[in-house]
Amino acid sequence: MVNVGVLGATGMVGQRFIQLLDKHPDFEITALAASSRSAGKRYEDATTWYLNESMPESVKDITVCETSPEAMSNDVDILFSSLPTEFAAKVEPEFAKDYVVASNASAMRMVDDVPLVIPEVNPEFLDLIEIQQKNRGWDGFIVTNPNCSTIALTLTLKPIYDAFKINKVYVSTMQAVSGAGYNGVPSMAIVDNLIPYIGNEEEKMESETLHLLGNLDGTDVVNADFSLSASCHRVGVIDGHTEAVFVELDKNEDIADIKNVMVNFKGLPQELDLYSSPKNPVIVKDEDDRPQPRLDRLSDNGMAVTVGRLRKDAAMDNSFKYVLVGHNTIRGAAGASVLNAELINKKIL
Amino acid sequence: MVNVGVLGATGMVGQRFIQLLDKHPDFEITALAASSRSAGKRYEDATTWYLNESMPESVKDITVCETSPEAMSNDVDILFSSLPTEFAAKVEPEFAKDYVVASNASAMRMVDDVPLVIPEVNPEFLDLIEIQQKNRGWDGFIVTNPNCSTIALTLTLKPIYDAFKINKVYVSTMQAVSGAGYNGVPSMAIVDNLIPYIGNEEEKMESETLHLLGNLDGTDVVNADFSLSASCHRVGVIDGHTEAVFVELDKNEDIADIKNVMVNFKGLPQELDLYSSPKNPVIVKDEDDRPQPRLDRLSDNGMAVTVGRLRKDAAMDNSFKYVLVGHNTIRGAAGASVLNAELINKKIL
Amino acid sequence: MVNVGVLGATGMVGQRFIQLLDKHPDFEITALAASSRSAGKRYEDATTWYLNESMPESVKDITVCETSPEAMSNDVDILFSSLPTEFAAKVEPEFAKDYVVASNASAMRMVDDVPLVIPEVNPEFLDLIEIQQKNRGWDGFIVTNPNCSTIALTLTLKPIYDAFKINKVYVSTMQAVSGAGYNGVPSMAIVDNLIPYIGNEEEKMESETLHLLGNLDGTDVVNADFSLSASCHRVGVIDGHTEAVFVELDKNEDIADIKNVMVNFKGLPQELDLYSSPKNPVIVKDEDDRPQPRLDRLSDNGMAVTVGRLRKDAAMDNSFKYVLVGHNTIRGAAGASVLNAELINKKIL
Amino acid sequence: MVNVGVLGATGMVGQRFIQLLDKHPDFEITALAASSRSAGKRYEDATTWYLNESMPESVKDITVCETSPEAMSNDVDILFSSLPTEFAAKVEPEFAKDYVVASNASAMRMVDDVPLVIPEVNPEFLDLIEIQQKNRGWDGFIVTNPNCSTIALTLTLKPIYDAFKINKVYVSTMQAVSGAGYNGVPSMAIVDNLIPYIGNEEEKMESETLHLLGNLDGTDVVNADFSLSASCHRVGVIDGHTEAVFVELDKNEDIADIKNVMVNFKGLPQELDLYSSPKNPVIVKDEDDRPQPRLDRLSDNGMAVTVGRLRKDAAMDNSFKYVLVGHNTIRGAAGASVLNAELINKKIL
């Protein structure tokens, strides 16, 4: 068993980390860090628990510590981070001197020597770890996973990208409120309403997706060579991001072939049979009215992305379109970091 | 005063007709037709009223008649129709022998000699009326308005189309539940959920928009010459369709110029100062988080379309994107028919 | 293993039966009955599945049969019924000639020789089975469970009723939309709204509760001797009924003692360790803002009722008040019938 | 025209004040006060506007001032206050030295010499103004209106209380999210959920109602002599509080008589024909499924309370029950203060 800790343990994604790590065959939670307001308290006393699944017994009595390497006891190897961006930028490098940091924060994602990884998509980017450690003289390192809406999109684009040539992608999202944290979206903003804006979300989707589908050329990532435009919106759904995707290829492909590459897509986690890996990263449904976030977000424990309405785009040359649903706090956040850590644990540690 | 009637008077759009026609300076409701279940009853007794605005006193005592020319008393000149498609296809032509039918039904929209009109966009299509009457030997005629999501989109594209050259449009909608009628969307389908499919909606948007922006060449409509692809979704909003729009032009244009043509857009209804015409068909907001359906749907009594997040599309050449909100049962349905009738009343009757 | 079937298998409660019976240690689904529209089809093809949990593999290939004893194959012992009231009244007695019918329908609940049972509350009412079989000459029999909102209320009143003397109970409900079936509540009725009426619900709560807490005196049930008034309302929650309960006792009791009897309440299912029985039928939470339907409905797999805000009623003599949440389609419907069947299987069959 | 100002002008209730005062025949807004963050800015620039109705043109250019008598220009007579409780307790008395303060804040409601008034219920409590001014040596004074849920309840109880003898009242509320302010209720708390707790709300309802229905005996208010117990809950509705009310009288009364006194109820505002007074303070609907917040909250511009489901309580002696809906930020907040001010303007100033 590898001892692990969670940074930002009382927040929404922190709670998901705890839920996913509870009863994990390889990882055992031994440290929970949060703000100084929570430090020193039992986790149960420090936390307002928001998840439908109840708080695991195993963490209730853990004493929350402050979020600094000094406050962290030594018996931890991997730290999962769901820290806010600015704080992550400051503190994750300090932890990385001694620990493996598997981070869901956006702070370090686009830093040159920090791997931004989806295990099914670009596991080879983990080669950057060695460079990172050398550059910085760290014993530990930082590995990051992408933004929630990016992960779901990229998992569905990867098999397309490998089999065909993509020219352009347009994506319009309908994102769940949990993505903004428990207090992020007031009910006045979302009952009988939607919000057509999520700060920095479009920029993240547009840059991270091309990075993830790019190639690692020595120490540099060369972005994938197509154009991607995103429009991001918040709707009154608790969990599960929905995305409408329009894809233009360089030539006409049969829709059955496109479905085929999605359905048959497997990656390294499936090959290695990692504990959190879904049987199929992408599930394709044929019903007209799927995917729906409430019905499909928990497919394969929230780790699979569900695609539906896959159809030729009659209006556009060489084009097709589809809708996807992915669980934003499992596959799109905590589960992504855990899967990264499982891969690292198997291949690197 | 012109006497008017409503076909499908007890339904959701029928109620909107009644609300919009109440206190209208030119039109007076003298006939209300509905199914045989309602016929013979006072309107108030026949109807479960769904609108936030209360039922106008003036219609409560009108006796509902059946939906056939025989059952209709003679003192009516214009009939507003919100009949279901199949029934409209059968009965609207019968009414058109003697009456002007301003229809929100989709049945006759794409018929060659039936004008599909948005007064600000293609009022010249009303020239088809003469051809229609000659073709069919009718004293009356049928004029139709487009689908709810088409109207809002087309109003925003019209000034762009006139000023620049559009290559491609992608649109992803987040549509209100009222568009499906009172019983159309179960709450189980929409609470903590959304439905990524609306039957025939994408086809209507794709065909009607190009038709409306086309030219009337004698007896034929020549479609606008660009490509448009739609993906349509239902979200938990009562009224107000939201649409994310991506536009590719043939060359690079300044975003200020694009905003300018939208803001300054006026059409024939504004020129003629028609009673229901909004001061500006398109309102452009600068706030990051607008338009929102709950806050913007009733702009200019629900007859204006609100645009926001108008921005260059950095990812795509010669492209920009924006979000719009339009009231689906006012500007997108009943109000559209009423504005058509006001134009006809001024120019033709 | 006892072979079981589900009547009304494609509906909302029917799907819950299937979910709860899947992997059940004592019961195996061998028959699924539905309307003639579904009969003859594979269950997967006949059903639009509505639950968040996916359809169990084990039922997908079962051929749906019509809902009549003739259509039912013989290898079934217990039938779970979620039939609509009128149809249940007609067809359940026909099935009861040969089968054990564990019914969630309201049709037969208040019939003299039909036990209406919550296993933790009045298991002794099962003695009516012998009388029922004798009266009617049946080899099988019918046992019923109460209405969803009644079950949750009665489970919390039972320990109070046993320990103290209740004078009056007022209950005001906030009920989930799933209680009305998938198409029961339109989204237009519940988005930014609530409906202050549920047909027959108040009458059921008022009569069933006193019946369940009554005594079986030979062949007759003598109702519990207190007054109960209900006001029932539908709110925009998918699953989980919430009820605000005001109780007047005949004398002043310490709130700690009241909490104590609730917390320590156990019944026959706990004693017999029945598979579906919750560890504690009533869970009492101390947080100010609990119970909440989304967070508490699945307590103990949806079979426990969660109580919160238990407090003295300072305004009323000898009174206290509390709020409860119970899962309406698990503890309040399918799970109730299954627990009845488990008790029957252990004690009677 | 009386010049008026709004304290707390940028908040939710402050915006309602502005909406209700716009185009008011007797009042003209000349001052808007808010926090120092807003002070010095144009109102339009200082405010994120939340109401469906758009911001009145007349206030956009008013320069927001700080919330202190020194910062207030002199040309104001009446100040409407929607300040937070603690701040109101400190600053309202300072303003009252020179100004009439019509306050929606709870801070001063239960202070001995401060009238807590609903004009239809207890206008005679305004006699306390003279005492208050004498006690404190103020030229101005403070008058308060009750809590939102109290106002709606008390308006419906007043005609009952006057005509019959009430023993007990139980009330269970389903309150709108706007009552907590724009950021008060996170969407995570209310989508597919409800919150069974509102801080201090039950205490306010229980104390204020009996106070309002009491008698002013010289300088003291003698509370009404019956018992009232409240249980308060937050549901996913934007505006409009719904309350289920159970009433026990001292003897059996005919339900038709009870309805009669509600329907015929009029108070001083109706007699004086005050601008904001509803034609009938209480509207009684006969439909089974009314009142509904979305459909009934705006009755008589949001100033009437709508009652429905008025019925004998068969389970309880001498009892009846009903459901009410009242607009919480109009009749229950800003509109209540404005009506108080209209009465003061007519009778006292």
Side-chain angles (χ1 to χ4, degrees):
Chain A
M1 293 292 277
V2 178
N3 288 344
V4 303
V6 178
L7 309 179
T10 59
M12 182 96 77
V13 174
Q15 296 185 16
R16 275 285 175 217
F17 273 123
I18 287 169
Q19 182 225 338
L20 296 177
L21 292 168
D22 182 49
K23 308 201 169 89
H24 195 287
D26 306 321
F27 300 145
E28 180 168 6
I29 298 176
T30 56
L32 297 173
S35 70
S36 54
R37 215 179 38 241
S38 300
K41 297 185 188 166
R42 291 173 61 247
Y43 182 71
E44 184 178 24
D45 299 333
T47 306
T48 304
W49 187 258
Y50 302 129
L51 303 187
N52 297 5
E53 304 82 4
S54 42
M55 185 187 289
E57 289 302 322
S58 60
V59 297
K60 290 185 176 176
D61 288 327
I62 294 179
T63 302
V64 176
C65 67
E66 296 218 30
T67 311
S68 70
E70 301 74 46
M72 184 69 53
S73 71
N74 279 331
D75 57 352
V76 177
D77 294 305
I78 301 177
L79 290 170
F80 294 100
S81 164
S82 59
L83 296 173
T85 309
E86 296 79 31
F87 188 48
K90 185 170 152 291
V91 82
E92 285 182 5
E94 295 176 26
F95 278 105
K97 290 176 190 164
D98 294 305
Y99 301 98
V100 174
V101 179
S103 176
N104 182 56
S106 66
M108 309 290 287
R109 281 179 198 155
M110 304 302 280
V111 173
D112 274 358
D113 61 357
V114 175
L116 173 68
V117 172
I118 302 174
E120 286 95 338
V121 172
N122 62 335
E124 70 277 9
F125 282 29
L126 292 179
D127 291 352
L128 286 170
I129 290 170
E130 218 179 297
I131 298 166
Q132 182 190 142
Q133 290 182 315
K134 191 176 305 174
N135 282 351
R136 299 167 184 255
W138 292 346
D139 291 329
F141 57 84
I142 300 173
V143 63
T144 64
N145 56 264
N147 165 277
C148 48
S149 42
T150 303
I151 294 177
L153 176 64
T154 306
L155 277 168
T156 64
L157 288 180
K158 171 67 174 171
I160 308 298
Y161 183 78
D162 285 350
F164 312 110
K165 173 144 180 36
I166 296 175
N167 280 348
K168 292 182 183 176
V169 174
Y170 291 89
V171 58
S172 174
T173 70
M174 293 164 277
Q175 298 185 222
V177 294
S178 62
Y182 191 78
N183 290 298
V185 181
S187 53
M188 289 292 293
I190 218 74
V191 172
D192 186 19
N193 206 21
L194 60 85
I195 302 294
Y197 177 70
I198 303 174
N200 286 320
E201 191 80 358
E202 296 168 0
E203 293 78 356
K204 288 178 194 166
M205 289 191 79
E206 294 177 357
S207 61
E208 294 177 7
T209 306
L210 299 180
H211 184 97
L212 288 156
L213 292 172
N215 288 309
L216 182 63
D217 182 9
T219 63
D220 292 324
V221 172
V222 181
N223 274 5
D225 182 26
F226 63 88
S227 303
L228 188 156
S229 175
S231 190
C232 293
H233 321 95
R234 189 80 69 189
V235 297
V237 168
I238 291 288
D239 286 318
H241 287 354
T242 305
E243 308 180 16
V245 186
F246 305 81
V247 180
E248 182 191 288
L249 300 176
D250 78 327
K251 61 189 177 71
N252 195 30
E253 302 289 348
D254 200 277
I255 196 72
D257 294 337
I258 292 166
K259 179 177 171 182
N260 222 32
V261 299
M262 281 190 170
V263 168
N264 293 320
F265 173 46
K266 305 239 178 187
L268 189 55
Q270 285 72 36
E271 192 183 305
L272 297 175
D273 200 20
L274 299 180
Y275 175 67
S276 300
S277 71
K279 185 158 166 278
N280 294 287
V282 180
I283 293 168
V284 181
K285 294 218 154 200
D286 293 325
E287 298 93 324
D288 257 354
D289 63 350
R290 299 295 276 268
Q292 295 175 24
R294 192 165 62 78
L295 298 183
D296 293 307
R297 62 195 172 202
L298 284 174
S299 292
D300 226 330
N301 299 313
M303 289 299 285
V305 176
T306 303
V307 163
R309 304 208 65 226
L310 181 62
R311 59 211 192 277
K312 288 290 286 186
D313 192 337
M316 300 283 174
D317 290 339
N318 306 333
S319 297
F320 64 98
K321 40 190 177 180
Y322 61 96
V323 179
L324 69 84
V325 163
H327 198 297
N328 54 304
T329 67
I330 300 180
R331 184 71 218 210
S337 294
V338 171
L339 194 61
N340 277 350
E342 292 173 3
L343 178 59
I344 288 166
N345 188 38
K346 192 99 165 202
K347 300 289 282 186
I348 296 180
L349 295 190
Chain B
M1 294 291 276
V2 177
N3 289 343
V4 303
V6 178
L7 308 180
T10 58
M12 182 96 77
V13 173
Q15 298 185 16
R16 274 284 175 218
F17 273 123
I18 287 169
Q19 183 226 336
L20 296 177
L21 293 167
D22 182 51
K23 308 203 168 92
H24 195 286
D26 306 320
F27 299 145
E28 181 168 6
I29 298 176
T30 56
L32 297 173
S35 71
S36 53
R37 215 179 40 241
S38 298
K41 297 186 187 165
R42 291 172 64 245
Y43 182 71
E44 185 178 22
D45 299 333
T47 307
T48 305
W49 186 260
Y50 301 128
L51 303 186
N52 296 5
E53 304 82 3
S54 43
M55 185 188 289
E57 289 300 321
S58 61
V59 297
K60 289 187 176 173
D61 288 326
I62 294 180
T63 302
V64 176
C65 67
E66 295 218 30
T67 311
S68 69
E70 301 75 47
M72 184 66 55
S73 72
N74 278 331
D75 57 350
V76 177
D77 292 305
I78 301 176
L79 290 171
F80 294 100
S81 165
S82 60
L83 296 173
T85 310
E86 295 80 30
F87 188 48
K90 187 170 149 290
V91 82
E92 285 182 2
E94 294 176 26
F95 278 104
K97 290 176 188 163
D98 293 306
Y99 302 98
V100 174
V101 179
S103 176
N104 182 55
S106 67
M108 311 289 289
R109 280 179 198 156
M110 303 303 280
V111 173
D112 274 357
D113 60 358
V114 175
L116 174 69
V117 172
I118 302 173
E120 286 94 340
V121 173
N122 62 335
E124 69 279 9
F125 283 28
L126 292 179
D127 293 350
L128 285 170
I129 290 171
E130 217 179 298
I131 298 166
Q132 183 190 140
Q133 290 183 314
K134 193 177 302 175
N135 281 352
R136 300 169 184 253
W138 291 347
D139 290 330
F141 56 84
I142 299 173
V143 62
T144 64
N145 56 264
N147 167 277
C148 48
S149 43
T150 303
I151 294 178
L153 175 64
T154 305
L155 277 168
T156 64
L157 289 180
K158 171 68 175 169
I160 308 299
Y161 184 77
D162 285 352
F164 312 110
K165 174 141 179 41
I166 297 176
N167 281 349
K168 291 183 184 177
V169 173
Y170 291 88
V171 57
S172 174
T173 70
M174 293 163 275
Q175 300 185 220
V177 294
S178 62
Y182 191 78
N183 289 299
V185 181
S187 52
M188 290 290 296
I190 219 74
V191 172
D192 186 19
N193 205 21
L194 61 84
I195 303 291
Y197 177 69
I198 303 174
N200 286 318
E201 192 80 359
E202 295 167 1
E203 292 79 356
K204 288 178 193 166
M205 289 192 78
E206 294 177 357
S207 61
E208 294 177 7
T209 306
L210 298 181
H211 183 97
L212 288 155
L213 293 172
N215 289 309
L216 181 63
D217 182 7
T219 62
D220 293 324
V221 172
V222 181
N223 274 7
D225 183 27
F226 63 87
S227 303
L228 189 157
S229 175
S231 191
C232 294
H233 321 96
R234 187 81 69 189
V235 297
V237 168
I238 291 287
D239 287 318
H241 287 353
T242 305
E243 308 181 16
V245 187
F246 305 81
V247 181
E248 182 191 290
L249 300 175
D250 78 327
K251 60 190 178 68
N252 194 30
E253 303 288 349
D254 200 276
I255 197 72
D257 295 336
I258 292 166
K259 179 177 173 184
N260 222 31
V261 300
M262 281 190 170
V263 166
N264 292 319
F265 173 45
K266 304 239 179 190
L268 190 55
Q270 285 72 36
E271 192 183 306
L272 298 175
D273 200 19
L274 298 179
Y275 175 68
S276 301
S277 71
K279 185 158 167 278
N280 294 289
V282 179
I283 293 169
V284 181
K285 296 218 153 200
D286 292 326
E287 297 94 324
D288 256 355
D289 63 350
R290 299 295 274 269
Q292 296 174 23
R294 192 163 63 77
L295 299 183
D296 293 307
R297 62 193 171 202
L298 284 174
S299 293
D300 226 330
N301 299 312
M303 290 298 286
V305 176
T306 303
V307 163
R309 306 209 63 225
L310 181 61
R311 59 210 191 279
K312 290 289 288 185
D313 192 337
M316 300 284 174
D317 290 339
N318 306 332
S319 296
F320 64 98
K321 40 190 177 178
Y322 60 96
V323 179
L324 69 84
V325 163
H327 198 297
N328 55 304
T329 68
I330 299 179
R331 183 72 217 209
S337 294
V338 170
L339 194 61
N340 276 351
E342 291 173 1
L343 179 58
I344 289 167
N345 188 39
K346 192 98 166 203
K347 302 289 282 186
I348 296 181
L349 293 189
Chain C
M1 292 292 275
V2 178
N3 288 343
V4 302
V6 178
L7 308 180
T10 58
M12 182 96 76
V13 173
Q15 296 184 17
R16 274 285 175 217
F17 273 124
I18 287 170
Q19 182 226 336
L20 296 176
L21 293 167
D22 183 50
K23 309 204 167 89
H24 195 286
D26 307 320
F27 299 145
E28 180 167 8
I29 298 176
T30 56
L32 297 173
S35 70
S36 53
R37 215 181 38 242
S38 300
K41 295 185 188 165
R42 291 172 64 245
Y43 182 72
E44 185 178 21
D45 299 333
T47 305
T48 305
W49 186 259
Y50 301 130
L51 303 186
N52 297 4
E53 303 82 2
S54 44
M55 184 187 291
E57 289 301 320
S58 61
V59 298
K60 289 186 175 174
D61 287 327
I62 294 180
T63 302
V64 176
C65 67
E66 295 218 29
T67 312
S68 69
E70 301 76 45
M72 184 68 54
S73 70
N74 279 331
D75 58 350
V76 177
D77 293 304
I78 301 177
L79 290 170
F80 294 99
S81 165
S82 59
L83 296 172
T85 310
E86 297 80 30
F87 188 51
K90 186 170 150 290
V91 80
E92 285 182 4
E94 293 176 26
F95 278 106
K97 289 176 190 163
D98 294 305
Y99 301 97
V100 175
V101 179
S103 176
N104 182 55
S106 66
M108 309 290 289
R109 281 180 197 153
M110 303 302 281
V111 173
D112 275 359
D113 60 358
V114 175
L116 174 70
V117 172
I118 302 173
E120 286 94 340
V121 173
N122 63 335
E124 69 279 9
F125 282 29
L126 292 179
D127 292 352
L128 286 170
I129 290 170
E130 216 179 300
I131 298 165
Q132 182 189 142
Q133 290 183 312
K134 193 176 301 174
N135 281 352
R136 301 169 183 254
W138 291 347
D139 291 330
F141 57 85
I142 300 173
V143 61
T144 63
N145 57 264
N147 166 278
C148 48
S149 43
T150 302
I151 293 177
L153 176 64
T154 304
L155 277 168
T156 64
L157 288 180
K158 172 67 175 172
I160 308 297
Y161 184 77
D162 284 351
F164 313 111
K165 176 147 178 34
I166 297 175
N167 281 350
K168 292 181 183 176
V169 174
Y170 292 88
V171 58
S172 175
T173 70
M174 292 163 277
Q175 299 184 222
V177 294
S178 61
Y182 191 78
N183 289 297
V185 180
S187 53
M188 289 291 295
I190 220 73
V191 172
D192 186 19
N193 204 22
L194 60 85
I195 302 293
Y197 177 69
I198 304 174
N200 287 316
E201 191 80 359
E202 295 168 1
E203 293 79 355
K204 288 178 194 166
M205 289 192 78
E206 293 177 358
S207 61
E208 293 176 8
T209 307
L210 299 181
H211 184 98
L212 287 155
L213 293 172
N215 289 310
L216 181 63
D217 183 7
T219 63
D220 292 325
V221 172
V222 181
N223 273 6
D225 182 27
F226 63 89
S227 302
L228 188 155
S229 176
S231 191
C232 293
H233 321 95
R234 188 80 69 189
V235 297
V237 169
I238 290 287
D239 286 318
H241 287 355
T242 305
E243 308 180 17
V245 186
F246 305 81
V247 180
E248 183 192 289
L249 300 175
D250 78 328
K251 60 189 178 66
N252 194 29
E253 302 288 350
D254 200 275
I255 197 71
D257 295 337
I258 292 166
K259 178 176 172 183
N260 222 31
V261 299
M262 281 189 170
V263 168
N264 293 319
F265 173 46
K266 305 241 178 187
L268 190 54
Q270 286 72 36
E271 193 182 305
L272 298 176
D273 200 19
L274 298 179
Y275 175 68
S276 300
S277 70
K279 184 157 168 280
N280 294 288
V282 179
I283 293 168
V284 181
K285 294 218 153 198
D286 293 325
E287 297 93 325
D288 257 354
D289 64 350
R290 300 294 278 267
Q292 295 175 23
R294 190 164 62 79
L295 298 184
D296 293 307
R297 61 195 172 202
L298 284 174
S299 292
D300 227 332
N301 299 312
M303 290 298 287
V305 176
T306 303
V307 164
R309 304 208 63 225
L310 182 61
R311 59 212 192 276
K312 289 290 286 184
D313 192 337
M316 301 282 175
D317 290 340
N318 307 332
S319 296
F320 64 98
K321 41 190 177 180
Y322 61 96
V323 179
L324 70 83
V325 163
H327 198 296
N328 55 304
T329 67
I330 299 179
R331 183 71 218 209
S337 294
V338 170
L339 194 61
N340 276 351
E342 292 173 2
L343 179 57
I344 288 166
N345 188 39
K346 193 98 165 201
K347 302 288 283 186
I348 296 180
L349 294 190
Chain D
M1 293 292 276
V2 178
N3 288 343
V4 302
V6 178
L7 309 180
T10 58
M12 181 96 77
V13 173
Q15 297 185 17
R16 274 285 175 217
F17 273 123
I18 287 170
Q19 183 226 336
L20 297 176
L21 293 167
D22 182 50
K23 309 204 166 88
H24 195 286
D26 307 319
F27 299 145
E28 180 168 3
I29 299 176
T30 56
L32 298 173
S35 70
S36 55
R37 213 180 40 239
S38 300
K41 297 185 188 166
R42 292 173 63 246
Y43 181 71
E44 185 178 21
D45 298 333
T47 306
T48 304
W49 187 259
Y50 301 129
L51 303 186
N52 297 3
E53 304 82 2
S54 43
M55 185 188 289
E57 289 299 323
S58 61
V59 297
K60 289 186 176 174
D61 288 327
I62 295 179
T63 301
V64 176
C65 67
E66 294 218 30
T67 312
S68 70
E70 302 74 48
M72 183 70 52
S73 71
N74 279 330
D75 57 351
V76 177
D77 295 304
I78 301 177
L79 289 171
F80 294 99
S81 164
S82 58
L83 296 172
T85 310
E86 297 78 32
F87 188 49
K90 185 169 151 291
V91 82
E92 284 182 2
E94 294 176 27
F95 279 105
K97 290 175 188 162
D98 294 304
Y99 300 98
V100 175
V101 179
S103 176
N104 182 56
S106 67
M108 310 289 289
R109 281 180 198 154
M110 303 303 279
V111 173
D112 275 358
D113 60 359
V114 175
L116 174 68
V117 172
I118 303 173
E120 287 94 339
V121 172
N122 63 336
E124 68 278 10
F125 282 29
L126 292 179
D127 292 351
L128 285 170
I129 290 170
E130 219 179 297
I131 298 165
Q132 182 190 140
Q133 290 183 313
K134 193 176 302 175
N135 282 351
R136 299 168 185 254
W138 290 347
D139 291 327
F141 57 85
I142 299 173
V143 62
T144 63
N145 56 266
N147 166 277
C148 49
S149 43
T150 302
I151 294 178
L153 176 64
T154 305
L155 277 168
T156 65
L157 288 180
K158 170 67 174 171
I160 308 298
Y161 183 76
D162 285 350
F164 312 110
K165 176 148 177 35
I166 296 174
N167 281 349
K168 292 182 182 175
V169 173
Y170 291 89
V171 58
S172 174
T173 70
M174 293 164 276
Q175 300 184 220
V177 294
S178 61
Y182 192 78
N183 289 299
V185 181
S187 53
M188 289 292 295
I190 219 74
V191 172
D192 186 19
N193 205 22
L194 60 85
I195 302 292
Y197 177 69
I198 303 174
N200 287 319
E201 191 80 359
E202 296 168 0
E203 292 78 357
K204 288 178 194 166
M205 289 193 78
E206 294 178 357
S207 61
E208 294 178 8
T209 306
L210 299 179
H211 183 97
L212 288 156
L213 292 173
N215 288 310
L216 182 63
D217 182 8
T219 63
D220 292 326
V221 173
V222 182
N223 273 6
D225 182 27
F226 64 88
S227 303
L228 188 156
S229 174
S231 190
C232 294
H233 321 96
R234 188 80 68 189
V235 296
V237 168
I238 291 287
D239 286 318
H241 287 354
T242 305
E243 308 180 17
V245 187
F246 304 82
V247 180
E248 182 191 289
L249 300 175
D250 78 326
K251 61 189 177 67
N252 194 30
E253 302 289 349
D254 200 276
I255 196 73
D257 295 337
I258 292 165
K259 179 178 173 182
N260 223 30
V261 300
M262 281 190 169
V263 167
N264 293 319
F265 173 45
K266 305 239 178 189
L268 190 55
Q270 286 71 36
E271 194 183 303
L272 298 175
D273 200 20
L274 298 179
Y275 175 69
S276 300
S277 71
K279 185 157 166 279
N280 294 287
V282 180
I283 293 168
V284 181
K285 296 219 152 199
D286 293 325
E287 297 93 325
D288 258 354
D289 64 350
R290 300 294 277 269
Q292 294 174 25
R294 192 165 61 80
L295 299 184
D296 293 307
R297 61 194 172 202
L298 283 174
S299 292
D300 227 331
N301 298 314
M303 289 298 286
V305 176
T306 303
V307 164
R309 305 209 64 226
L310 180 62
R311 59 210 191 278
K312 290 289 288 184
D313 192 337
M316 300 283 174
D317 290 339
N318 307 332
S319 295
F320 64 97
K321 40 190 177 180
Y322 61 95
V323 179
L324 70 82
V325 163
H327 197 297
N328 55 304
T329 67
I330 300 180
R331 184 71 218 209
S337 293
V338 170
L339 194 61
N340 276 351
E342 292 173 4
L343 179 58
I344 288 166
N345 188 38
K346 191 98 166 203
K347 302 288 282 186
I348 296 180
L349 293 190

